[in-house]
Every structure is written in C-alpha cells, then in structure tokens.
Amino acid sequence: MIVAFIDEHKHRWGIEPICRVLSENTEVKIAPGTYYAFIGREPSARARRDAVLKEHIMRIHSHPRMRVYGIREIHAQLVREGHEVARCTIGRLCRELGVRGTVRGKWPRTTKPAPETDRPGDLVERDLTATAPNQLWVADLTYVRTQSGWVYVAFVLDVGAPPWTKSSGESLA
C-alpha cells in the first residue's frame, strides 16, 4: 500500500521527499533504500504459485458448467487435475478474486421481531372493499430470487381504483 502510494506520487514530488515526509509525520517509517529494494525484488515463491493458481481458478470458474462451483468444488477439481494445494489456499485466492459459488436452497432471513414487540394491527380487519378510489390502500413487501441474487419488491395498491385506470384516477376508457 505504501509502495503503491509512492509509485502514484513519485513523479510529482520524488521518492526521497515522500519517504522523508512519511517518516517524519506518520508512524510509517520507510527509507528510500527499502522502497528500491522492494521494487527490484523478484516475486516470492508463494506469489508466483498464487498467480498460477489464480489462473487455474479463473479457468475453472469461467467454464459454463462450473460457474456454480464454490471453494470446495474448485479445490476438488484442482486435485483431480493433479494440483497439490490446500483448500484454505483456494479459499484465500477465491476471496481475493471475488469468486463465489452459487448458494442453493438458502432463503433470505427476514426480520424476526422479538416476542415482546407489538406488531402492526390490522386496521381494516381483513375487509378489503372500497367504494371509491383513494379510500383504502394496502401494501406488501416480498422477495423474489433472480439470477444475480434476491430482489425485494414492495407493492402499494389502491383497493378502490379499478386496474385499468391511470395513477391519477382518470379512466382510460
């Protein structure tokens, strides 16, 4: 993060002045030599292996039949292909890549009120009749599963308005 900051601003102020200001005014102590050593250093063995594994994970995840795979399935697929890798490593790399499997059978948890709280009363006592528009309005909130997740939908209806009228109450006929 510090190296990225220095890289972003080194053309404006220079590396040495940025390191000096950071060391004097913050808890971040970095010498210019440390920055240059980090930039010139080869990636570690773990970083190189992570890069290869990330390519394999994205290859598996981009396959049409395997887009639903989660960490366990991706790990099993890599083991079947002959890669010796720990499942926790696959979990870490999947989180970094933002790869998630499809969750099946899970329903969203809706609000569960405490027993001591009052619930809204039925003000019309289930009598859903109205003789004219704008006398009785009802509302409901529900959720619908879509391909990208759960969508919450709210409905507000005027019971007295015929379904073929405009929102202003003016008849279409």
Side-chain angles (χ1 to χ4, degrees):
M1 185 166 104
I2 295 168
V3 173
F5 176 82
I6 294 172
D7 282 340
E8 185 178 337
H9 299 288
K10 68 182 177 182
H11 301 293
R12 185 171 182 186
W13 292 302
I15 294 168
E16 287 82 7
I18 292 173
C19 292
R20 184 175 57 250
V21 169
L22 284 174
S23 297
E24 291 172 358
N25 298 320
T26 65
E27 294 179 14
V28 177
K29 307 294 182 203
I30 183 167
T34 306
Y35 169 78
Y36 290 119
F38 182 85
I39 295 299
R41 185 181 312 145
E42 290 290 319
S44 66
R46 177 181 170 175
R48 289 192 303 270
R49 183 156 192 256
D50 284 355
V52 170
L53 287 173
K54 284 180 179 181
E55 288 178 15
H56 288 298
I57 290 170
M58 291 310 295
R59 175 183 50 80
I60 291 169
H61 187 67
S62 65
H63 189 277
R65 289 189 183 150
M66 298 180 191
R67 278 199 71 75
V68 297
Y69 278 16
I71 294 169
R72 288 185 318 201
E73 292 92 350
I74 291 173
H75 175 257
Q77 181 65 30
L78 287 172
V79 169
R80 279 192 295 270
E81 293 176 1
H83 300 281
E84 191 174 322
V85 61
R87 195 169 92 182
C88 60
T89 301
I90 299 303
R92 175 177 55 84
L93 296 176
C94 284
R95 281 188 296 277
E96 287 178 14
L97 292 169
V99 170
R100 293 188 56 192
T102 301
V103 179
R104 294 188 183 118
K106 293 264 187 174
W107 294 91
R109 181 176 178 171
T110 58
T111 304
K112 294 186 177 181
E116 64 273 3
T117 58
D118 290 333
R119 295 194 175 99
D122 185 0
L123 301 177
V124 295
E125 298 176 354
R126 301 285 175 183
D127 181 19
L128 299 177
T129 57
T131 57
N134 211 17
Q135 282 184 342
L136 178 62
W137 291 79
V138 293
D140 189 22
L141 180 68
T142 188
Y143 45 89
V144 180
R145 186 175 188 142
T146 64
Q147 192 173 22
S148 59
W150 291 97
V151 176
Y152 292 86
V153 183
F155 298 95
V156 181
L157 300 172
D158 183 359
V159 174
W164 58 85
T165 59
K166 294 182 181 176
S167 60
S168 64
E170 191 176 310
S171 176
L172 292 176

